[in-house]
Amino acid sequence: MAAGSASRFRARSKSVPDMVKLELNDDDDTLENTPTRVSKHQHLLYPGLKSAGKRKRDDSPNSKTDRPPAVDASSTKSTSRPYAPPNRPKVQRAPIARKFVVNTRMTSRPAEAYIEYNPLKMYKRSDLATLVYTFDLVKQCVQAIKTGHDRELKFSVLRRRLHQMEFYDFIEDILMVKSKLLEDQGFPAIFDDPNFPFDLRADALLLFRRWATRQWDPHLLRGIVTKMGTNSKEKVFSTKSLDKNYSFKVPASYHGEGDLVNGQWWPLQICTIRDGAHGLAEGGIYGQVAQGAYSIILSGGGYADIDEGDTIQYCGTSGEEDKLTAFTERMLESFRLKKSVRVLRSAGLAGKHSNYRPVKGIRYDGIYHVTGYELLDKGTSMYRFTLDRCPGQDPIRYQGEEVRPTEEELRAYNKIEGYLKPSGVGSSGLSSLSIAWLPDDLGDTLKQKPFDKHRAGKATSSKQKRSFRDHAAIVKKLDVKPKKPDHSPPVGSTLTSPIVTICVGPEQRLFAAHEDILSHSPFFAAICRGQFLESSSKRINLPEELPEIFSSVLEYLYKGDYYPRLFHNKRRNIWELEEDSVKNNTESTVYSHSAGQLLLKDSMVYCTAERYGLDELKRLALRKQGLQSGIQCSIILASARYAYANTPNSDSKLRAHYLALIIRSRSTFKRSGTMQMEMEQGGTMFFDLFVAICNHMANMYVT
C-alpha cells in the first residue's frame, strides 16, 4: 500500500481529522493531495468528487483519431465471427404491463447523513465496546510485530474482525470519535505499517475511507434501485439503476487506481459504477475519446481471452471490415498513449481456464499497461491486446486467507441473491416477493393468490438472533449468569455444515464437529479455509493436544460452558461450581505427558484458548480456577510454570493470578520443599514474583 495513498486520509488530531482535497493530474495519472482545514462542525465530512460534463464523442470514420494500419480492402468481407460471440438477433420486446420496486435491504435501518457531531447523542455501550475491542486488537497486533510472538494468530483474529466490520449497521459519528478507529493508532496504524499483511492493509484502508466520508450504510446494493415486473406476455423481468439521490457516487473517468484498493469486491457490475471502478453497466471496456480506456472487465461471453494473472490477452469488440468499434479504438489509444488500465475480473470467467476469477461478483485486481496487440480476424477487425500488470502492486487476492470475496461478503450476497434473479413465468414468478413491497394496485391483484406465508409481517415477527460480536458484552464481567455464546450459525445452516474430523493426542482420539462451529475460532477458521478449499475429506490432526482439554474446548463452542459448569447460587448470591465436581477434585486436574505430572485443568484450558483465539473461554477458565480449593502446592507450582511456558509475555491475567496466589498464601509456600526446588531452578516466573512482592511491600508501606 503506497504511503502517499494513506496520508491523504490520515486523521491528524485525536478528535478532528484533516480533510483532503483530491486533484487529478492528467499528466502523470497520479492523485495529488492538498490538505486543507475544515470547521469543527464539519470534521469527518469529505467533499465528494463532482462528475465532469460528458464529452461529445466522435466515433465517425472521418475522426482524426489515430488508427492502426488499414486492412487490405481487396480482401473478401467475412461474415463469420470466429473470435467473438455471434450477433444477437433483434427481438421485439413486449410492452411493460406492471412494474414495482424490490426491497433487497437486510439492515434494520438505512444509513443516516449526519451533518455535525453531536456529543450528547445516545448510543449503545455494546456497540462502542465492539469498536473498542477492534482498537485493542490493532494494538495487540502492533505489539506482536515488535515481539514476534503469535503474529499469525493475532493477524488472523484481526482479519476476521475486519471482514465482519464491513457489515456493521450501527456505525455513526459519535462511535467513530469515541472508539478512535480513525486516528493514528486505529486503522492508519494498519495500512501505514508495511509489517502488516497486504490484505489487512487494504481492508483497513477501505473501511477507513468509507467511514471517514460517512458512508455508514453496509448494504451491498447501497445506492442501487432494483425494479421487477412483468410484461404483456407475463414474463418476469428485472432492472437495476443508480439512485439519483445517492450522494457518494464516484466518477470512473480517470486513469490509475484512484480510491480503490486491491481486491475490492462488488456483487454486480452496476455497483462498480457507484464506486468509480468501471463506467458501464454492460460492456467490458470503458474509456473516452483521445484518453484511451480507463478500465476493462474480464468476463465470459465467447471472446478469445487468455488470463494468466499478471499477463492478460484481452480481445476488443468485433466490428466490420476496415471499421473499428469505439471500444477497440480506446484500447489502441491506451497502447499509444501508454495509459494505465484498471482490470476487474468477473465470476463469468468460470467457462474459461482461469484460476484468478472470483467465486461470485466482480473483483478489482490492479493496474495494467497495454504492451502490444495483434489482429486476429480481418473481416471483423478483431484485435487482441496484451496487458501486463504494473510492478510494485500487492498480489492478486484469489486464494488463501486474503481471498476476496470473503465469507461474510458471500453470506450477505446469498441473502439478497434470491431477490435479484426472479424465476418462473407469469404472475406465479412473483410468489417469493412480499406484498408489503408492492404498489397498492398491484398488491390488491396479487392478494387474490395464496401468498400468506410470504407476507413481510410474518417474516419480520421472528426474534432476531444476537450477533457474534455482542458476545463480549454478555460474558465480559462474569458477574452475570454466563449464557450460551451465540456461536451457532443462522437457523438451518448447522444441519448443512460439513462435518470435520479431528484427531487429537498421540493416541489419535477422534472428535467430530461442524465446520461452522469450529470456524468461530480464528485458529480453526484459518485451517478450514486453507485446507478444505478443494478437499472432500475434512480432517484435522492435533497430535500435541490433550483429548480431555480439547473436549472441554469443543463443549464450550457448542454449549457456552464446559464441565464442571459454573452456576449462580441465588441463596448466597455467589458463583459456584457443580457440587459433584467440588466433592471430587479429580475433575480439577489433568495429567500432562509433557510435564509428567498433574496440572490444573482450567490453566490448560486457558492456554489452549489462547492458541485458538477464544478470549471469552479464557475469562471463563480463569474465573473457574479462582473457585478451586484443596489443591496441593506442587500442582499449583507446576501449573504456574506451565502457564508461563504457554502464554505470551504480554499476558496479564493467568500469570498475575498465580503470582497473587503465591503472595497471598506465602506462609504455606515458604514451607514447601517444592517451592524451594522451583526457586533454585529459577526462570521468568520467579523474577516476576520478586517484582510483585516488591510492589506489594511498597503498597503496604504507603498504606
Side-chain angles (χ1 to χ4, degrees):
M1 190 69 60
S5 174
S7 64
R8 293 177 300 145
F9 290 89
R10 177 73 64 88
R12 299 296 183 187
S13 67
K14 292 187 177 180
S15 61
V16 182
D18 287 349
M19 179 183 70
V20 295
K21 180 181 180 182
L22 304 183
E23 296 181 355
L24 184 61
N25 190 336
D26 293 334
D27 297 332
D28 54 1
D29 300 338
T30 60
L31 288 174
E32 300 178 349
N33 57 323
T34 305
T36 59
R37 272 292 186 187
V38 297
S39 66
K40 63 180 180 179
H41 297 293
Q42 293 180 347
H43 68 285
L44 292 179
L45 183 59
Y46 295 85
L49 298 178
K50 295 183 178 180
S51 301
K54 295 184 178 179
R55 301 179 182 178
K56 185 177 180 181
R57 301 184 182 181
D58 187 5
D59 297 338
S60 61
N62 298 326
S63 176
K64 296 182 180 180
T65 306
D66 295 336
R67 297 177 178 277
V71 184
D72 187 7
S74 60
S75 61
T76 304
K77 185 175 182 179
S78 174
T79 57
S80 62
R81 296 158 57 91
Y83 299 99
N87 286 326
R88 296 180 180 178
K90 294 184 179 180
V91 180
Q92 184 68 25
R93 299 184 181 274
I96 297 175
R98 52 183 178 266
K99 190 175 183 180
F100 54 91
V101 177
V102 178
N103 184 0
T104 61
R105 185 170 299 282
M106 295 296 149
T107 55
S108 59
R109 60 174 177 81
E112 300 176 8
Y114 293 92
I115 299 180
E116 62 181 11
Y117 160 56
N118 181 10
L120 302 179
K121 184 177 179 59
M122 302 295 293
Y123 61 90
K124 292 183 179 180
R125 290 187 177 182
S126 59
D127 295 341
L128 179 59
T130 301
L131 298 180
V132 172
Y133 173 70
T134 305
F135 185 83
D136 294 338
L137 276 180
V138 176
K139 293 194 296 185
Q140 294 177 18
C141 290
V142 173
Q143 184 65 24
I145 291 175
K146 295 179 181 179
T147 61
H149 185 74
D150 287 341
R151 287 184 52 176
E152 297 303 323
L153 178 59
K154 298 295 184 183
F155 288 158
S156 179
V157 176
L158 181 60
R159 179 180 290 108
R160 182 68 179 269
R161 175 53 63 116
L162 291 177
H163 294 170
Q164 295 172 351
M165 293 178 73
E166 186 178 354
F167 298 98
Y168 283 0
D169 60 355
F170 56 83
I171 305 300
E172 52 191 19
D173 278 339
I174 189 171
L175 294 177
M176 285 293 96
V177 174
K178 290 184 174 294
S179 65
K180 301 181 180 180
L181 282 175
L182 299 182
E183 298 181 12
D184 289 349
Q185 294 182 349
F187 288 144
I190 302 177
F191 57 75
D192 277 348
D193 191 348
N195 294 315
F196 277 88
F198 72 92
D199 63 306
L200 289 183
R201 289 186 277 122
D203 294 342
L205 181 59
L206 180 62
L207 280 175
F208 180 82
R209 286 173 173 172
R210 277 180 50 187
W211 291 351
T213 54
R214 293 181 170 180
Q215 299 185 48
W216 312 132
D217 193 354
H219 195 257
L220 289 176
L221 299 184
R222 56 187 178 275
I224 308 299
V225 178
T226 303
K227 295 183 179 181
M228 295 178 58
T230 57
N231 56 25
S232 59
K233 296 182 179 180
E234 294 298 324
K235 186 175 182 180
V236 181
F237 69 92
S238 64
T239 62
K240 303 169 188 65
S241 60
L242 288 173
D243 187 357
K244 296 180 180 179
N245 298 323
Y246 186 71
S247 58
F248 298 106
K249 182 182 180 300
V250 180
S253 301
Y254 63 91
H255 290 283
E257 189 172 64
D259 289 338
L260 304 176
V261 299
N262 181 39
Q264 192 168 343
W265 179 83
W266 302 271
L268 303 173
Q269 185 168 335
I270 194 171
C271 298
T272 64
I273 304 177
R274 177 196 65 200
D275 295 338
H278 195 63
L280 297 175
E282 294 182 2
I285 303 174
Y286 173 68
Q288 288 183 344
V289 177
Q291 294 295 325
Y294 296 124
S295 59
I296 63 172
I297 296 182
L298 282 168
S299 60
Y303 289 97
D305 300 336
I306 302 176
D307 183 11
E308 297 177 350
D310 291 341
T311 301
I312 297 172
Q313 303 290 333
Y314 186 77
C315 290
T317 54
S318 59
E320 300 177 1
E321 187 175 355
D322 297 336
K323 185 177 181 180
L324 301 175
T325 62
F327 299 113
T328 302
E329 288 183 349
R330 301 294 84 78
M331 295 295 294
L332 290 168
E333 290 171 353
S334 296
F335 171 73
R336 296 191 184 92
L337 299 175
K338 298 182 179 180
K339 295 284 188 178
S340 60
V341 179
R342 297 185 297 274
V343 172
L344 295 85
R345 285 181 172 85
S346 170
L349 286 170
K352 299 183 175 65
H353 179 70
S354 176
N355 297 324
Y356 302 93
R357 64 179 181 87
V359 177
K360 288 185 178 180
I362 299 173
R363 185 186 63 228
Y364 168 69
D365 286 339
I367 300 298
Y368 287 68
H369 276 296
V370 183
T371 57
Y373 62 89
E374 60 177 330
L375 178 64
L376 294 182
D377 183 52
K378 295 181 180 180
T380 57
S381 298
M382 171 61 70
Y383 284 82
R384 185 165 63 185
F385 302 88
T386 301
L387 293 89
D388 292 327
R389 202 165 189 260
C390 298
Q393 301 183 86
D394 294 329
I396 301 174
R397 301 177 64 175
Y398 71 98
Q399 62 178 355
E401 288 185 331
E402 66 273 9
V403 65
R404 296 293 294 268
T406 64
E407 295 180 1
E408 287 73 14
E409 288 172 331
L410 291 175
R411 189 178 297 113
Y413 180 66
N414 290 335
K415 291 181 180 179
I416 63 176
E417 190 175 17
Y419 302 117
L420 302 178
K421 296 180 179 180
S423 60
V425 178
S427 58
S428 60
L430 303 175
S431 60
S432 62
L433 302 178
S434 171
I435 298 178
W437 298 341
L438 306 181
D440 294 337
D441 54 346
L442 183 58
D444 294 338
T445 304
L446 296 182
K447 284 178 183 177
Q448 300 174 0
K449 297 191 177 182
F451 291 123
D452 292 341
K453 63 179 180 180
H454 303 293
R455 291 186 60 86
K458 292 188 177 181
T460 58
S461 62
S462 60
K463 186 176 180 180
Q464 186 177 3
K465 293 183 71 64
R466 192 186 305 273
S467 62
F468 178 69
R469 62 173 179 270
D470 292 333
H471 180 57
I474 300 177
V475 201
K476 184 176 182 181
K477 295 184 179 180
L478 284 178
D479 55 352
V480 295
K481 185 176 181 179
K483 299 179 182 180
K484 177 181 177 180
D486 193 16
H487 288 164
S488 58
V491 178
S493 61
T494 305
L495 299 177
T496 60
S497 176
I499 300 297
V500 180
T501 303
I502 307 102
C503 298
V504 181
E507 300 177 359
Q508 296 290 304
R509 286 186 57 180
L510 298 181
F511 292 83
H514 293 89
E515 184 176 346
D516 287 348
I517 298 297
L518 288 176
S519 296
H520 289 298
S521 164
F523 176 84
F524 290 110
I527 294 179
C528 292
R529 286 196 300 267
Q531 179 179 351
F532 302 152
L533 187 60
E534 297 180 357
S535 175
S536 57
S537 60
K538 301 181 182 298
R539 188 183 184 93
I540 299 177
N541 294 319
L542 301 174
E544 298 180 357
E545 198 66 81
L546 290 179
E548 296 83 357
I549 303 302
F550 184 79
S551 176
S552 298
V553 174
L554 201 60
E555 184 180 3
Y556 167 79
L557 289 175
Y558 275 94
K559 300 180 179 180
D561 201 352
Y562 64 93
Y563 185 81
R565 294 175 176 83
L566 194 67
F567 74 96
H568 185 254
N569 189 330
K570 296 182 180 180
R571 184 175 60 85
R572 302 175 60 186
N573 195 23
I574 59 174
W575 289 92
E576 297 178 345
L577 297 175
E578 292 179 344
E579 293 182 359
D580 55 347
S581 65
V582 176
K583 296 178 181 179
N584 187 4
N585 282 336
T586 56
E587 289 293 339
S588 62
T589 58
V590 175
Y591 184 82
S592 173
H593 297 278
S594 59
Q597 65 181 87
L598 292 174
L599 299 177
L600 287 176
K601 175 183 177 180
D602 296 317
S603 290
M604 302 181 72
V605 171
Y606 182 99
C607 296
T608 305
E610 174 71 31
R611 290 194 300 271
Y612 294 164
L614 299 172
D615 293 337
E616 302 304 325
L617 178 57
K618 290 167 54 179
R619 296 188 182 97
L620 181 61
L622 192 64
R623 181 62 180 273
K624 286 187 174 184
Q625 180 164 303
L627 299 176
Q628 298 288 353
S629 61
I631 307 299
Q632 298 178 5
C633 292
S634 58
I635 296 178
I636 294 176
L637 293 175
S639 301
R641 187 175 290 277
Y642 176 86
Y644 264 78
N646 293 274
T647 55
N649 295 330
S650 59
D651 181 81
S652 61
K653 301 296 183 181
L654 184 60
R655 294 185 177 188
H657 170 81
Y658 279 109
L659 297 179
L661 175 62
I662 294 175
I663 294 175
R664 187 170 60 249
S665 306
R666 54 188 179 275
S667 60
T668 302
F669 280 95
K670 69 181 182 181
R671 299 192 303 267
S672 172
T674 306
M675 182 68 177
Q676 180 180 357
M677 182 179 61
E678 291 284 345
M679 292 186 68
E680 290 176 355
Q681 295 180 2
T684 306
M685 180 180 69
F686 291 96
F687 176 79
D688 291 347
L689 180 61
F690 170 77
V691 174
I693 292 175
C694 293
N695 293 335
H696 177 69
M697 295 177 62
N699 293 335
M700 293 178 60
Y701 178 79
V702 172
T703 304

